Amino acid sequence: MEMVSVENIDELIKAQTQIWSTSLCFIKSMCLKCAVELGIPDIINSHGQPISLSDLVASLPIQSTKTDHVFRLMRILVHSGFFSIETSAEKNNQEQYRLTPASRLLLESTSLGYGEFVSLVLDPVIMQPFEHMSTWLKSDDLNPFITVNGKTLWEKASHEPRLNNLFNDCMAADSGLVAKMVMIKCKEVFEGIDSLVDVAGGTGNMARAIAENFPDMSCTVLDLAQVVNADLETRNNLDFVIGDMFQAVPPADAILLKWILHDWSDQECVKILKNCKDAIAKRKGKQGKIIIIEVVMRNKTWDDNDWSEAQMLFDMEMMGCMVGKERTEKEWAKLFFDSGFIQYKIHPILGPRALIELFP
């Protein structure tokens, strides 16, 4: 059967274009990484007004002969929505670059600084496993990361300070942003709580924000020794404790699990949740709860919505580097009930993620 005909030629052109776009999509990611490494968002921001290509090139730590190449880089980043272009009538209709909400999120000069996320997920150590997915699928390895490295991500990070720092910085950046979202969107979830433990809370950005907003609440960050160090700032109602969530969780009225459970298998999640349940059970005379911040996928994840692609890509990230996954409400409910909880409430207010209240 002839594949190319008058009847299907337009369909084949569309199919070829789809293959091009999908196969080369990694270049968009690499261009974003390049912009972060060169500090382009901060250069435009510090300029104080939209910036011309020539002024941008003059401010970059690159060869002046690379002007045309920077234009090509900025063209794809404008197309991807990280910058916008406006024309200045005062400067002979010269095109100038302006920040967008996405690039403002990458500014190092703000407390949000989400460039650390880009640096981690596009690091060669994290990307390489995806080059070996077919090899992994034919093996008995738990994930492609182990296929490539012979050890888990956690094991590798514990022996490589650069990777450990990348991971901690990424989690700190995400926690700083999510904390602001939560305090605006659903601050009431934390009202009436006297004590809270942020399990695997990293360098404490999330717990710090909660402690600042609720000065009468005692907040504790629980994490491994490789994360908790003497440089971390404590305050009157914020403390850091070295521990392992698989062993035990300190007692508290509420336990926070932000972006933790998606890293782990169902069996490991049940163990973590049972330890959290034990922790709130030790607070006599007060009903405790678990506060979870995670993706809740639709049962039909191929449905078109604002968040589906981001959720599915993160699910693949979990498959590539971890042993967990992003879960649907049905899958979350099974975990909760298997852990001995009887009631939960989902607040779908954080875009691709949701805040879940879980009660014993």
Side-chain angles (χ1 to χ4, degrees):
M1 177 181 175
E2 179 61 49
M3 286 192 64
V4 182
S5 65
V6 173
E7 289 77 16
N8 72 355
I9 188 65
D10 289 337
E11 183 181 74
L12 287 175
I13 292 172
K14 182 179 179 180
Q16 180 196 52
T17 305
Q18 181 181 356
I19 292 172
W20 281 13
S21 296
T22 302
S23 299
L24 297 174
C25 196
F26 74 96
I27 295 175
K28 292 169 63 176
S29 302
M30 292 298 102
C31 289
L32 176 60
K33 182 181 181 182
C34 178
V36 170
E37 291 176 341
L38 292 175
I40 291 177
D42 283 284
I43 289 172
I44 297 176
N45 187 57
S46 63
H47 193 67
Q49 57 185 337
I51 192 171
S52 66
L53 179 63
S54 58
D55 286 341
L56 176 60
V57 172
S59 300
L60 288 170
I62 62 172
Q63 295 291 329
S64 59
T65 55
K66 297 295 195 296
T67 301
D68 288 344
H69 302 304
V70 174
F71 165 75
R72 295 159 73 184
L73 172 68
M74 294 301 290
R75 180 168 58 188
I76 188 66
L77 290 170
V78 168
H79 178 76
S80 300
F82 288 98
F83 304 101
S84 62
I85 288 180
E86 65 178 43
T87 302
S88 173
E90 298 177 356
K91 297 185 178 182
N92 300 318
N93 292 325
Q94 184 181 50
E95 289 188 341
Q96 297 177 306
Y97 299 104
R98 178 186 288 275
L99 297 177
T100 64
S103 49
R104 288 191 180 279
L105 204 54
L106 299 172
L107 293 174
E108 289 186 2
S109 56
T110 71
S111 60
L112 298 181
Y114 215 64
E116 284 84 355
F117 174 86
V118 176
S119 298
L120 174 65
V121 299
L122 297 181
D123 189 85
V125 173
I126 302 300
M127 294 190 67
Q128 191 178 13
F130 293 95
E131 297 180 20
H132 299 269
M133 286 178 63
S134 60
T135 302
W136 164 67
L137 285 168
K138 299 171 186 177
S139 76
D140 294 329
D141 296 334
L142 287 176
N143 59 40
F145 191 93
I146 294 175
T147 299
V148 173
N149 297 281
K151 61 184 70 172
T152 68
L153 173 60
W154 309 121
E155 290 168 340
K156 189 173 179 68
S158 67
H159 293 94
E160 295 187 15
R162 186 194 71 86
L163 180 59
N164 186 54
N165 290 336
L166 266 179
F167 187 85
N168 290 337
D169 289 346
C170 174
M171 293 301 103
D174 185 71
S175 291
L177 178 59
V178 172
K180 294 182 185 298
M181 293 176 177
V182 168
M183 288 301 113
I184 292 173
K185 288 274 195 177
C186 51
K187 185 177 180 180
E188 64 277 5
V189 168
F190 296 88
E191 291 176 352
I193 297 173
D194 294 328
S195 60
L196 176 142
V197 173
D198 186 358
V199 172
T203 54
N205 275 15
M206 187 77 187
R208 190 171 291 110
I210 296 171
E212 289 173 353
N213 279 272
F214 296 93
D216 294 329
M217 184 191 302
S218 174
C219 297
T220 301
V221 176
L222 173 75
D223 217 316
L224 301 173
Q226 68 197 51
V227 179
V228 178
N229 59 67
D231 295 331
L232 294 174
E233 178 190 0
T234 61
R235 59 182 65 202
N236 290 337
N237 64 326
L238 175 64
D239 197 12
F240 292 84
V241 172
I242 294 174
D244 185 342
M245 62 186 175
F246 288 105
Q247 300 300 319
V249 174
D253 295 339
I255 307 297
L256 175 64
L257 293 165
K258 188 198 80 68
W259 233 6
I260 303 300
L261 298 176
H262 73 162
D263 291 339
W264 304 99
S265 69
D266 288 357
Q267 183 178 0
E268 289 164 318
C269 285
V270 168
K271 185 171 181 59
I272 295 168
L273 287 169
K274 283 184 175 180
N275 286 342
C276 293
K277 186 170 181 289
D278 290 342
I280 60 174
K282 294 175 183 177
R283 301 288 289 186
K284 303 295 184 181
K286 194 166 189 178
Q287 184 190 35
K289 64 180 176 180
I290 316 298
I291 301 169
I292 298 170
I293 297 175
E294 290 279 6
V295 166
V296 179
M297 299 184 76
R298 291 190 175 189
N299 289 321
K300 296 181 179 180
T301 51
W302 54 86
D303 288 350
D304 184 26
N305 65 68
D306 291 342
W307 323 119
S308 285
E309 184 176 24
Q311 292 177 334
M312 286 186 282
L313 288 172
F314 239 109
D315 183 55
M316 294 303 294
E317 183 79 0
M318 294 302 102
M319 188 179 83
C321 296
M322 305 294 186
V323 294
K325 61 181 180 179
E326 306 301 348
R327 296 174 169 91
T328 64
E329 180 177 352
K330 182 178 179 180
E331 291 170 322
W332 280 121
K334 185 178 187 307
L335 282 185
F336 299 155
F337 299 146
D338 287 350
S339 304
F341 291 88
I342 60 173
Q343 183 183 357
Y344 67 88
K345 183 177 181 181
I346 296 177
H347 305 270
I349 53 175
L350 300 175
R353 287 180 286 193
L355 186 145
I356 306 170
E357 292 181 276
L358 182 57
F359 304 93

